[in-house]
Each structure stands twice: as structure tokens, then as C-alpha cells.
Amino acid sequence: MIIANNYKEIKDHFDFTDSIITDIKWNNPLDLSITIDYYWDVQENREENRTFVLHFTDCLAVEYKMWKEVIGMSREDLHFDSLFTMIRFEHAADSSGFQHFRIYTFDYTEPLLQIICKQVQLEEV
């Protein structure tokens, strides 16, 4: 069920800080989805966390940047929850109608994802 249809609605009601990215996938050649285990439900004494999906539609560009140090580690040494815990979710719009998003996880200076798209929606699954 779609619960927010634009960035303002998302920002006004949800804070993704400390939430964990559990999946990133292309739905088709233009639309990217990011599944999130929403952290703040634990803080609000819910019995279990909700799962949300951010849908980025009509993507013009997506850059995914993993760190070389992580790629060199063995899978047994990786702590995926730490690597994919969101620490910042930034947004800007340009005059042509495209929206620019940056999602930071492990590194405060380099985003894991940079997305340029027409629209973002939030779905609760």
C-alpha cells in the first residue's frame, strides 16, 4: 500500500536514520526500489518493525558506490546490517523537474546511492 507520494510526505512523517537497507533492485529498466527495515518502530514499542519500500520512478541516473575495503573482506567478516544502516537521506530538486537523492550508509562523506529520478513513493509492505 502506497503511504506517501512524494518526498515532502515522506520527510514529514518518516525518519530513515538507523533503518537498514535490506534489498535494492530494478523493477524495470527505469524504476529502482529500495527495501528498508524501519528502525523507529522499535523505539515506538511496536512488536515488530515495518518494512517499507522506496520506489524511485523514471530514473535518469543511479550510482551505487561500494567501498574497496568492503569488497576485499571475506563474507564471514562482513556485518551487513552495519554496512547498510542509513545515516543520512538527502534530497534536492532541479529546475527541470528531476529529483536528486543521496543515501549514505557506512561512509558519512560518500553516499552509497545517488539517484536522479522524476518521482519517489513510499510503500508499506
Side-chain angles (χ1 to χ4, degrees), residues 25-48:
K25 68 178 180 181
W26 288 99
N27 297 321
N28 59 54
L30 294 176
D31 301 336
L32 181 75
S33 293
I34 299 173
T35 304
I36 299 168
D37 180 9
Y38 191 63
Y39 170 76
W40 292 104
D41 286 340
V42 172
Q43 299 303 311
E44 295 172 1
N45 296 320
R46 290 179 184 253
E47 298 216 3
E48 58 184 52

mmCIF file of all heavy atoms in Angstrom, residues 25-48:
data_model
loop_
_atom_site.group_PDB
_atom_site.id
_atom_site.type_symbol
_atom_site.label_atom_id
_atom_site.label_comp_id
_atom_site.label_asym_id
_atom_site.label_seq_id
_atom_site.Cartn_x
_atom_site.Cartn_y
_atom_site.Cartn_z
ATOM 1 N N LYS A 25 16.759 -3.181 -5.884
ATOM 2 C CA LYS A 25 16.532 -3.889 -7.143
ATOM 3 C C LYS A 25 15.873 -2.974 -8.166
ATOM 4 O O LYS A 25 15.180 -2.026 -7.839
ATOM 5 C CB LYS A 25 15.678 -5.131 -6.932
ATOM 6 C CG LYS A 25 14.251 -4.846 -6.535
ATOM 7 C CD LYS A 25 13.476 -6.127 -6.388
ATOM 8 C CE LYS A 25 12.046 -5.829 -5.996
ATOM 9 N NZ LYS A 25 11.273 -7.024 -5.821
ATOM 10 N N TRP A 26 16.119 -3.330 -9.408
ATOM 11 C CA TRP A 26 15.453 -2.687 -10.526
ATOM 12 C C TRP A 26 14.145 -3.425 -10.762
ATOM 13 O O TRP A 26 14.126 -4.642 -10.893
ATOM 14 C CB TRP A 26 16.314 -2.747 -11.784
ATOM 15 C CG TRP A 26 17.497 -1.833 -11.725
ATOM 16 C CD1 TRP A 26 18.775 -2.171 -11.417
ATOM 17 C CD2 TRP A 26 17.501 -0.426 -11.980
ATOM 18 N NE1 TRP A 26 19.581 -1.061 -11.453
ATOM 19 C CE2 TRP A 26 18.819 0.031 -11.803
ATOM 20 C CE3 TRP A 26 16.505 0.496 -12.324
ATOM 21 C CZ2 TRP A 26 19.179 1.357 -11.966
ATOM 22 C CZ3 TRP A 26 16.865 1.824 -12.492
ATOM 23 C CH2 TRP A 26 18.187 2.246 -12.315
ATOM 24 N N ASN A 27 13.042 -2.679 -10.846
ATOM 25 C CA ASN A 27 11.746 -3.283 -11.158
ATOM 26 C C ASN A 27 11.562 -3.417 -12.663
ATOM 27 O O ASN A 27 10.832 -4.281 -13.130
ATOM 28 C CB ASN A 27 10.608 -2.427 -10.595
ATOM 29 C CG ASN A 27 10.700 -2.365 -9.096
ATOM 30 O OD1 ASN A 27 11.020 -3.349 -8.450
ATOM 31 N ND2 ASN A 27 10.463 -1.202 -8.535
ATOM 32 N N ASN A 28 12.182 -2.521 -13.389
ATOM 33 C CA ASN A 28 12.212 -2.499 -14.846
ATOM 34 C C ASN A 28 13.383 -1.582 -15.205
ATOM 35 O O ASN A 28 14.049 -1.085 -14.296
ATOM 36 C CB ASN A 28 10.863 -2.023 -15.431
ATOM 37 C CG ASN A 28 10.479 -0.643 -14.954
ATOM 38 O OD1 ASN A 28 11.249 0.304 -15.090
ATOM 39 N ND2 ASN A 28 9.292 -0.513 -14.380
ATOM 40 N N PRO A 29 13.674 -1.328 -16.441
ATOM 41 C CA PRO A 29 14.858 -0.520 -16.771
ATOM 42 C C PRO A 29 14.828 0.942 -16.286
ATOM 43 O O PRO A 29 15.851 1.610 -16.334
ATOM 44 C CB PRO A 29 14.905 -0.572 -18.303
ATOM 45 C CG PRO A 29 14.233 -1.855 -18.645
ATOM 46 C CD PRO A 29 13.134 -1.997 -17.643
ATOM 47 N N LEU A 30 13.692 1.415 -15.790
ATOM 48 C CA LEU A 30 13.612 2.816 -15.352
ATOM 49 C C LEU A 30 13.346 3.005 -13.866
ATOM 50 O O LEU A 30 13.557 4.094 -13.335
ATOM 51 C CB LEU A 30 12.498 3.548 -16.124
ATOM 52 C CG LEU A 30 12.711 3.729 -17.615
ATOM 53 C CD1 LEU A 30 11.478 4.379 -18.234
ATOM 54 C CD2 LEU A 30 13.950 4.555 -17.893
ATOM 55 N N ASP A 31 12.865 1.995 -13.170
ATOM 56 C CA ASP A 31 12.397 2.148 -11.794
ATOM 57 C C ASP A 31 13.213 1.310 -10.810
ATOM 58 O O ASP A 31 13.331 0.096 -10.966
ATOM 59 C CB ASP A 31 10.926 1.760 -11.690
ATOM 60 C CG ASP A 31 10.040 2.594 -12.602
ATOM 61 O OD1 ASP A 31 10.428 3.720 -12.951
ATOM 62 O OD2 ASP A 31 8.946 2.102 -12.969
ATOM 63 N N LEU A 32 13.717 1.978 -9.785
ATOM 64 C CA LEU A 32 14.535 1.346 -8.752
ATOM 65 C C LEU A 32 13.754 1.310 -7.443
ATOM 66 O O LEU A 32 13.066 2.275 -7.100
ATOM 67 C CB LEU A 32 15.823 2.150 -8.556
ATOM 68 C CG LEU A 32 16.807 1.619 -7.524
ATOM 69 C CD1 LEU A 32 17.532 0.398 -8.087
ATOM 70 C CD2 LEU A 32 17.810 2.700 -7.148
ATOM 71 N N SER A 33 13.871 0.205 -6.700
ATOM 72 C CA SER A 33 13.219 0.079 -5.395
ATOM 73 C C SER A 33 14.241 -0.288 -4.335
ATOM 74 O O SER A 33 15.134 -1.101 -4.579
ATOM 75 C CB SER A 33 12.137 -0.994 -5.424
ATOM 76 O OG SER A 33 11.082 -0.597 -6.251
ATOM 77 N N ILE A 34 14.059 0.313 -3.163
ATOM 78 C CA ILE A 34 14.930 0.032 -2.021
ATOM 79 C C ILE A 34 14.045 -0.403 -0.862
ATOM 80 O O ILE A 34 13.166 0.348 -0.419
ATOM 81 C CB ILE A 34 15.750 1.267 -1.633
ATOM 82 C CG1 ILE A 34 16.647 1.679 -2.801
ATOM 83 C CG2 ILE A 34 16.570 0.991 -0.380
ATOM 84 C CD1 ILE A 34 17.365 2.990 -2.573
ATOM 85 N N THR A 35 14.267 -1.608 -0.356
ATOM 86 C CA THR A 35 13.502 -2.138 0.773
ATOM 87 C C THR A 35 14.232 -1.780 2.060
ATOM 88 O O THR A 35 15.457 -1.906 2.159
ATOM 89 C CB THR A 35 13.339 -3.661 0.647
ATOM 90 O OG1 THR A 35 12.739 -3.947 -0.620
ATOM 91 C CG2 THR A 35 12.472 -4.225 1.758
ATOM 92 N N ILE A 36 13.447 -1.341 3.053
ATOM 93 C CA ILE A 36 14.017 -0.821 4.301
ATOM 94 C C ILE A 36 13.325 -1.468 5.503
ATOM 95 O O ILE A 36 12.093 -1.513 5.571
ATOM 96 C CB ILE A 36 13.834 0.706 4.367
ATOM 97 C CG1 ILE A 36 14.569 1.368 3.209
ATOM 98 C CG2 ILE A 36 14.302 1.259 5.708
ATOM 99 C CD1 ILE A 36 14.209 2.816 3.015
ATOM 100 N N ASP A 37 14.136 -1.943 6.435
ATOM 101 C CA ASP A 37 13.654 -2.390 7.741
ATOM 102 C C ASP A 37 13.633 -1.135 8.614
ATOM 103 O O ASP A 37 14.684 -0.598 8.970
ATOM 104 C CB ASP A 37 14.592 -3.452 8.294
ATOM 105 C CG ASP A 37 14.176 -3.980 9.649
ATOM 106 O OD1 ASP A 37 13.068 -3.663 10.117
ATOM 107 O OD2 ASP A 37 14.980 -4.712 10.256
ATOM 108 N N TYR A 38 12.452 -0.646 8.955
ATOM 109 C CA TYR A 38 12.291 0.659 9.596
ATOM 110 C C TYR A 38 12.607 0.603 11.084
ATOM 111 O O TYR A 38 11.883 0.001 11.877
ATOM 112 C CB TYR A 38 10.863 1.167 9.360
ATOM 113 C CG TYR A 38 10.655 2.599 9.749
ATOM 114 C CD1 TYR A 38 11.347 3.621 9.114
ATOM 115 C CD2 TYR A 38 9.758 2.943 10.750
ATOM 116 C CE1 TYR A 38 11.149 4.944 9.459
ATOM 117 C CE2 TYR A 38 9.544 4.260 11.098
ATOM 118 C CZ TYR A 38 10.245 5.258 10.455
ATOM 119 O OH TYR A 38 10.049 6.572 10.808
ATOM 120 N N TYR A 39 13.683 1.251 11.487
ATOM 121 C CA TYR A 39 14.208 1.204 12.851
ATOM 122 C C TYR A 39 13.272 1.813 13.894
ATOM 123 O O TYR A 39 13.145 1.305 14.999
ATOM 124 C CB TYR A 39 15.548 1.938 12.896
ATOM 125 C CG TYR A 39 16.075 2.174 14.295
ATOM 126 C CD1 TYR A 39 16.651 1.137 15.013
ATOM 127 C CD2 TYR A 39 15.979 3.418 14.899
ATOM 128 C CE1 TYR A 39 17.134 1.333 16.285
ATOM 129 C CE2 TYR A 39 16.464 3.631 16.167
ATOM 130 C CZ TYR A 39 17.032 2.589 16.865
ATOM 131 O OH TYR A 39 17.504 2.791 18.128
ATOM 132 N N TRP A 40 12.623 2.908 13.573
ATOM 133 C CA TRP A 40 11.903 3.672 14.595
ATOM 134 C C TRP A 40 10.704 2.937 15.165
ATOM 135 O O TRP A 40 10.192 3.319 16.225
ATOM 136 C CB TRP A 40 11.522 5.044 14.051
ATOM 137 C CG TRP A 40 12.771 5.840 13.856
ATOM 138 C CD1 TRP A 40 13.386 6.113 12.673
ATOM 139 C CD2 TRP A 40 13.611 6.393 14.869
ATOM 140 N NE1 TRP A 40 14.548 6.814 12.887
ATOM 141 C CE2 TRP A 40 14.710 6.998 14.231
ATOM 142 C CE3 TRP A 40 13.547 6.426 16.248
ATOM 143 C CZ2 TRP A 40 15.722 7.639 14.937
ATOM 144 C CZ3 TRP A 40 14.562 7.071 16.956
ATOM 145 C CH2 TRP A 40 15.630 7.655 16.293
ATOM 146 N N ASP A 41 10.260 1.876 14.541
ATOM 147 C CA ASP A 41 9.177 1.095 15.120
ATOM 148 C C ASP A 41 9.593 0.472 16.449
ATOM 149 O O ASP A 41 8.798 0.366 17.369
ATOM 150 C CB ASP A 41 8.724 0.002 14.154
ATOM 151 C CG ASP A 41 7.911 0.573 13.008
ATOM 152 O OD1 ASP A 41 7.383 1.698 13.137
ATOM 153 O OD2 ASP A 41 7.796 -0.107 11.974
ATOM 154 N N VAL A 42 10.845 0.062 16.564
ATOM 155 C CA VAL A 42 11.359 -0.498 17.814
ATOM 156 C C VAL A 42 11.312 0.565 18.906
ATOM 157 O O VAL A 42 10.950 0.291 20.047
ATOM 158 C CB VAL A 42 12.811 -1.009 17.623
ATOM 159 C CG1 VAL A 42 13.434 -1.402 18.945
ATOM 160 C CG2 VAL A 42 12.835 -2.165 16.665
ATOM 161 N N GLN A 43 11.663 1.792 18.565
ATOM 162 C CA GLN A 43 11.666 2.884 19.535
ATOM 163 C C GLN A 43 10.249 3.269 19.977
ATOM 164 O O GLN A 43 10.060 3.835 21.038
ATOM 165 C CB GLN A 43 12.371 4.103 18.951
ATOM 166 C CG GLN A 43 13.815 3.849 18.595
ATOM 167 C CD GLN A 43 14.619 3.361 19.787
ATOM 168 O OE1 GLN A 43 14.563 3.940 20.866
ATOM 169 N NE2 GLN A 43 15.350 2.278 19.601
ATOM 170 N N GLU A 44 9.264 2.975 19.157
ATOM 171 C CA GLU A 44 7.876 3.302 19.483
ATOM 172 C C GLU A 44 7.146 2.114 20.105
ATOM 173 O O GLU A 44 5.924 2.073 20.157
ATOM 174 C CB GLU A 44 7.153 3.767 18.217
ATOM 175 C CG GLU A 44 7.723 5.066 17.667
ATOM 176 C CD GLU A 44 7.148 5.437 16.308
ATOM 177 O OE1 GLU A 44 6.285 4.699 15.780
ATOM 178 O OE2 GLU A 44 7.573 6.469 15.783
ATOM 179 N N ASN A 45 7.915 1.120 20.561
ATOM 180 C CA ASN A 45 7.400 -0.052 21.275
ATOM 181 C C ASN A 45 6.439 -0.911 20.459
ATOM 182 O O ASN A 45 5.561 -1.556 21.013
ATOM 183 C CB ASN A 45 6.746 0.365 22.600
ATOM 184 C CG ASN A 45 7.754 0.966 23.538
ATOM 185 O OD1 ASN A 45 8.881 0.486 23.631
ATOM 186 N ND2 ASN A 45 7.372 2.026 24.223
ATOM 187 N N ARG A 46 6.630 -0.943 19.158
ATOM 188 C CA ARG A 46 5.852 -1.879 18.345
ATOM 189 C C ARG A 46 6.447 -3.271 18.527
ATOM 190 O O ARG A 46 7.617 -3.418 18.851
ATOM 191 C CB ARG A 46 5.908 -1.493 16.866
ATOM 192 C CG ARG A 46 5.157 -0.230 16.556
ATOM 193 C CD ARG A 46 5.297 0.078 15.074
ATOM 194 N NE ARG A 46 4.675 1.324 14.739
ATOM 195 C CZ ARG A 46 3.542 1.445 14.069
ATOM 196 N NH1 ARG A 46 2.922 0.367 13.654
ATOM 197 N NH2 ARG A 46 3.043 2.625 13.802
ATOM 198 N N GLU A 47 5.655 -4.266 18.279
ATOM 199 C CA GLU A 47 6.130 -5.634 18.451
ATOM 200 C C GLU A 47 7.113 -6.050 17.375
ATOM 201 O O GLU A 47 7.988 -6.861 17.608
ATOM 202 C CB GLU A 47 4.945 -6.584 18.499
ATOM 203 C CG GLU A 47 4.059 -6.276 19.684
ATOM 204 C CD GLU A 47 3.465 -7.506 20.302
ATOM 205 O OE1 GLU A 47 3.775 -8.614 19.861
ATOM 206 O OE2 GLU A 47 2.696 -7.330 21.239
ATOM 207 N N GLU A 48 6.933 -5.506 16.171
ATOM 208 C CA GLU A 48 7.888 -5.801 15.101
ATOM 209 C C GLU A 48 8.007 -4.586 14.184
ATOM 210 O O GLU A 48 7.118 -3.738 14.121
ATOM 211 C CB GLU A 48 7.488 -7.039 14.310
ATOM 212 C CG GLU A 48 6.139 -6.974 13.662
ATOM 213 C CD GLU A 48 5.791 -8.282 12.981
ATOM 214 O OE1 GLU A 48 5.873 -9.344 13.619
ATOM 215 O OE2 GLU A 48 5.441 -8.222 11.793
#
